[in-house]
């Protein structure tokens, strides 16, 4: 179960955030703020305490707070983003993490290693780490040895197309895994009960399990039904403005 969640308000500069889909247009900032409010309310419905950090105009992608740290039950690992315009964002989370973890429980990934939290999927005490354009082999190695110091394990998953590992996967606990695209037939995830995302709804693989409920992006009916059929209560949140920046529900928070 999660007790806490950290989010960061989107900055006005988000309109200049990184995107692989410029054809979707620039985000509407006012609508993004409203969607962020809805997201916070959905999290509260799941019974967590939400810490809301102020917008940071220096970093257009800083609302995607998941990428700058990985938080476990007993330790925090501050990442080292691979994207040039996100370098330095990770420093801005440290003070907040110190409110939840003592200094000896906070680890730091250092150059030339890079890793972003979107590439890390927690399954109990094991962490899958995607090797992507943002997370290099050295980053995965340093990250896994930091985890091992605190009694966890990790393994790497090479990515082919997606931005981050969790762009195409979401672990819903109880061995249930949402899978899309390149992960559908991957032998790495064979042991899970796979809930396969329809090709036309691949964006909606980025859902989050929070204390028994699943927050799902609005507008993806097949995904919603598949998750409900698996026995979960679904809470819908519209993330259209974050999708324009390749971001989604998991990227917008740190849950621990
Ligand atoms: C980026 O490219 O870094 C942002 N525009 C989107 C980050 C999405 N984060 C995530 O999947 N964890």
């Amino acid at each position: 179960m999660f007790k806490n969640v950290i989010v960061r308000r989107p900055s006005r500069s988000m309109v200049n955030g990184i995107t692989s889909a410029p054809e979707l247009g620039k985000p509407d900032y006012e609508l993004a703020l409203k969607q962020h409010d809805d997201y916070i309310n959905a999290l509260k419905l799941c019974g967590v305490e939400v810490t809301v950090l102020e917008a940071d105009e220096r970093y257009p992608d800083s609302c995607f707070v998941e990428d700058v740290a990985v938080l476990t039950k007993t330790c925090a690992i501050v990442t080292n983003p691979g994207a040039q315009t996100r370098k330095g964002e990770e420093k801005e989370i440290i003070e907040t993490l110190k409110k939840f973890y003592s200094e000896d429980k906070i680890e730091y990934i250092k150059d030339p290693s890079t890793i972003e939290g979107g590439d890390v999927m927690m399954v109990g005490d094991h962490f899958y780490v995607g090797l992507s354009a943002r997370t290099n082999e050295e980053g995965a190695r340093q990250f896994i040895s930091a985890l091992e110091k605190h009694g966890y394990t990790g393994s790497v998953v090479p990515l082919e197309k997606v931005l981050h590992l969790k762009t195409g996967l979401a672990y819903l606990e109880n061995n249930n895994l949402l899978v899309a695209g390149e992960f559908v037939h991957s032998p790495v995830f064979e042991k899970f009960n796979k809930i396969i995302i329809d090709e036309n709804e691949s964006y909606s693989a980025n859902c989050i399990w929070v204390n028994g409920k699943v927050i799902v992006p609005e507008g993806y009916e097949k995904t919603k039904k598949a998750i409900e059929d698996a026995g979960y209560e679904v809470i819908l949140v519209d993330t259209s403005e974050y999708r324009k920046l390749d971001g989604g529900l998991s990227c917008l928070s740190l849950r621990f």
Side-chain angles (χ1 to χ4, degrees), residues 66-81:
E66 168 179 73
D67 291 319
V68 297
V70 175
L71 306 184
T72 77
K73 288 192 289 291
T74 54
C75 70
I77 301 177
V78 178
T79 67
N80 191 19

Side-chain angles (χ1 to χ4, degrees), residues 18 61 64 66-67 86 116 118 134 163-164 245-247 251:
I18 307 167
D61 288 294
F64 301 116
E66 168 179 73
D67 291 319
R86 302 197 64 181
E116 295 186 359
R134 305 290 180 84
L163 169 63
H164 285 127
L245 301 178
D246 305 324
C251 324

Side-chain angles (χ1 to χ4, degrees), residues 20-215:
S20 66
E23 69 280 6
L24 296 179
K26 299 246 185 215
D28 172 330
Y29 179 62
E30 297 304 324
L31 182 54
L33 279 180
K34 192 215 164 258
Q35 293 178 347
H36 205 258
D37 289 338
D38 294 344
Y39 181 66
I40 292 171
N41 288 334
L43 288 163
K44 288 182 179 164
L45 284 177
C46 301
V48 290
E49 186 82 28
V50 184
T51 299
V52 183
L53 305 179
E54 280 180 19
D56 188 338
E57 292 295 338
R58 295 169 298 167
Y59 298 106
D61 288 294
S62 51
C63 59
F64 301 116
V65 72
E66 168 179 73
D67 291 319
V68 297
V70 175
L71 306 184
T72 77
K73 288 192 289 291
T74 54
C75 70
I77 301 177
V78 178
T79 67
N80 191 19
Q84 272 311 320
T85 56
R86 302 197 64 181
K87 289 194 180 294
E89 237 181 72
E90 74 286 358
K91 298 201 169 49
E92 306 306 322
I93 197 79
I94 296 171
E95 195 188 307
T96 307
L97 296 183
K98 287 184 178 163
K99 295 184 182 144
F100 297 98
Y101 297 90
S102 57
E103 303 228 5
D104 59 322
K105 300 290 182 196
I106 305 181
E107 306 287 340
Y108 300 87
I109 304 299
K110 304 208 173 76
D111 284 336
S113 305
T114 64
I115 182 164
E116 295 186 359
D119 276 322
V120 178
M121 182 173 75
M122 178 176 78
V123 176
D125 289 343
H126 186 78
F127 292 74
Y128 291 91
V129 185
L131 293 181
S132 68
R134 305 290 180 84
T135 297
N136 60 23
E137 279 185 41
E138 177 58 18
R141 199 199 52 73
Q142 230 189 77
F143 176 76
I144 292 171
S145 39
L147 281 174
E148 286 170 348
K149 265 172 73 178
H150 297 271
Y152 300 100
T153 56
S155 56
V156 299
V157 185
L159 306 189
E160 286 162 22
K161 295 187 190 139
V162 286
L163 169 63
H164 285 127
L165 183 71
K166 282 183 293 187
T167 309
L169 287 174
Y171 186 55
L172 305 185
E173 303 297 318
N174 301 314
N175 207 41
N176 293 327
L177 185 67
L178 280 187
V179 285
E182 66 192 75
F183 302 116
V184 172
H185 300 295
S186 165
V188 180
F189 302 108
E190 248 165 17
K191 67 169 188 178
F192 293 95
N193 304 320
K194 288 188 269 187
I195 303 173
I196 297 172
I197 300 285
D198 187 271
E199 268 185 85
N200 299 320
E201 297 197 356
S202 57
Y203 171 77
S204 62
N206 191 259
C207 292
I208 47 173
W209 176 96
V210 188
N211 299 343
K213 304 187 205 302
V214 181
I215 308 181

Side-chain angles (χ1 to χ4, degrees), residues 208-228:
I208 47 173
W209 176 96
V210 188
N211 299 343
K213 304 187 205 302
V214 181
I215 308 181
V216 175
E218 195 171 298
Y220 302 88
E221 284 309 312
K222 290 181 185 157
T223 300
K224 173 177 180 272
K225 181 168 185 313
I227 297 172
E228 282 172 346

